[in-house]
Amino acid sequence: MTGKRSAEKVNRKNGRPISKVRMQMLRRRRRKWILGLIIILILLLLLIRFALIRLSPKASVSTLTIHSDGSVRLEEVVDLKGTGVSESELKQGVRSSIYSFFKGHGFGSARVRRFSHVDGKVYVETRFRSIKLYQAYSGYSIYQGSAEAVSKKNYDFEDNFRQVSTKKTKKGSSAIKLDQILTSQTVLAKAKKQGDKVLVLQENIRVEVDGKIRYLTDRDTSLVSDNTVDISPENKNPDADVLTCIIYK
């Protein structure tokens, strides 16, 4: 009797026999349920990521951020008024330039993270895996390294450096300011002893570094915060740029 029913009997659930066909149906349903749950979780994660990207802070002016892992974030704030270029044309141009960049530097070497708006202007955020890749893409001269490495490159800093200091105000708050004027030789010697990082670039843009700024070349630069510098065009000529050096800890 047991042998004749062995093809139909399988596990029991709540004391009732379940056929093999029924078990296969239950397994298929379970697999579909698990697959559906996985899809829902993936979609939820993508939605959260999209929301975080959309809601994350945006720079109000074009800003270059140097991260501690060597990657670079470029935030461009573009005013299209009077240019004759539409927003869709700008987006298409940016995406095309990134895709062309892939051909010579590999997929993922750069990526457009988001398009948005800031004060009626178009906001474009692009990420680069390294400073060298950003230089290759933008065409602007930029180098990051130790003070010792920078000294060996024999950069010609035509202007003086200013030391950055934090002063206490009468109200008890802290104020960042530029005070003591120093020569490049003196500053680089001090930076070597302190093991400081150095960023050298030639571009008119706001720059944010991953540390506290200690010294800064004083030509066409202004301190925004303890880790952010504005580099302005020389004599207000947008095509003119000078060699800027930022030393930070």
Side-chain angles (χ1 to χ4, degrees):
M1 186 71 175
T2 304
K4 290 180 181 180
R5 299 185 61 187
S6 61
E8 297 180 359
K9 288 179 65 179
V10 289
N11 297 334
R12 289 175 176 269
K13 184 176 182 181
N14 298 327
R16 298 173 59 188
I18 304 175
S19 68
K20 283 188 176 180
V21 174
R22 178 65 176 167
M23 280 296 294
Q24 289 174 353
M25 290 176 62
L26 291 173
R27 285 170 181 162
R28 280 197 291 267
R29 287 179 183 176
R30 188 182 304 148
R31 284 196 293 268
K32 289 181 180 178
W33 182 83
I34 293 172
L35 180 61
L37 183 61
I38 291 172
I39 292 173
I40 290 172
L41 288 173
I42 291 173
L43 291 174
L44 183 60
L45 289 172
L46 290 174
L47 182 62
I48 292 172
R49 181 178 180 273
F50 176 78
L52 289 174
I53 290 175
R54 294 290 297 178
L55 297 175
S56 59
K58 298 185 288 287
S60 58
V61 298
S62 295
T63 303
L64 188 68
T65 302
I66 312 299
H67 295 288
S68 57
D69 62 357
S71 62
V72 175
R73 177 178 66 195
L74 173 63
E75 297 173 274
E76 296 175 280
V77 180
V78 184
D79 188 355
L80 293 177
K81 291 180 180 178
T83 64
V85 179
S86 67
E87 185 174 331
S88 60
E89 289 174 333
L90 175 66
K91 290 180 179 179
Q92 184 179 354
V94 171
R95 290 194 176 105
S96 296
S97 65
I98 291 295
Y99 294 149
S100 298
F101 191 67
F102 288 164
K103 295 179 181 179
H105 300 86
F107 185 79
S109 53
R111 62 187 175 94
V112 180
R113 189 168 184 257
R114 59 176 166 168
F115 289 99
S116 187
H117 297 88
V118 173
D119 298 330
K121 300 175 183 177
V122 181
Y123 172 93
V124 185
E125 180 183 346
T126 312
R127 300 287 183 104
F128 300 87
R129 278 206 311 245
S130 69
I131 287 178
K132 286 184 178 180
L133 287 170
Y134 171 71
Q135 179 174 261
Y137 178 81
S138 67
Y140 289 111
S141 175
I142 182 170
Y143 175 80
Q144 183 197 43
S146 66
E148 185 173 357
V150 170
S151 297
K152 292 178 181 178
K153 286 185 170 291
N154 296 318
Y155 282 109
D156 184 16
F157 299 116
E158 299 176 358
D159 50 340
N160 292 319
F161 280 77
R162 299 290 295 272
Q163 184 173 346
V164 180
S165 63
T166 304
K167 301 289 185 182
K168 289 289 184 181
T169 64
K170 293 181 179 179
K171 295 182 180 180
S173 60
S174 297
I176 307 299
K177 61 179 293 185
L178 295 168
D179 47 23
Q180 189 176 0
I181 299 177
L182 301 166
T183 65
S184 60
Q185 292 84 355
T186 301
V187 167
L188 289 175
K190 288 185 175 184
K192 283 182 190 178
K193 291 181 180 179
Q194 296 294 327
D196 294 337
K197 294 180 182 179
V198 180
L199 179 69
V200 181
L201 73 160
Q202 200 161 358
E203 182 179 1
N204 299 316
I205 195 169
R206 176 170 289 183
V207 182
E208 182 178 320
V209 296
D210 62 315
K212 189 174 181 179
I213 300 172
R214 286 161 43 79
Y215 304 98
L216 172 67
T217 47
D218 66 354
R219 187 177 174 189
D220 298 317
T221 59
S222 59
L223 202 61
V224 178
S225 68
D226 64 354
N227 73 330
T228 307
V229 173
D230 269 343
I231 305 173
S232 57
E234 187 177 25
N235 298 323
K236 297 183 179 181
N237 178 4
D239 297 323
D241 47 40
V242 299
L243 197 62
T244 301
C245 182
I246 304 169
I247 299 177
Y248 57 102
K249 193 68 172 179

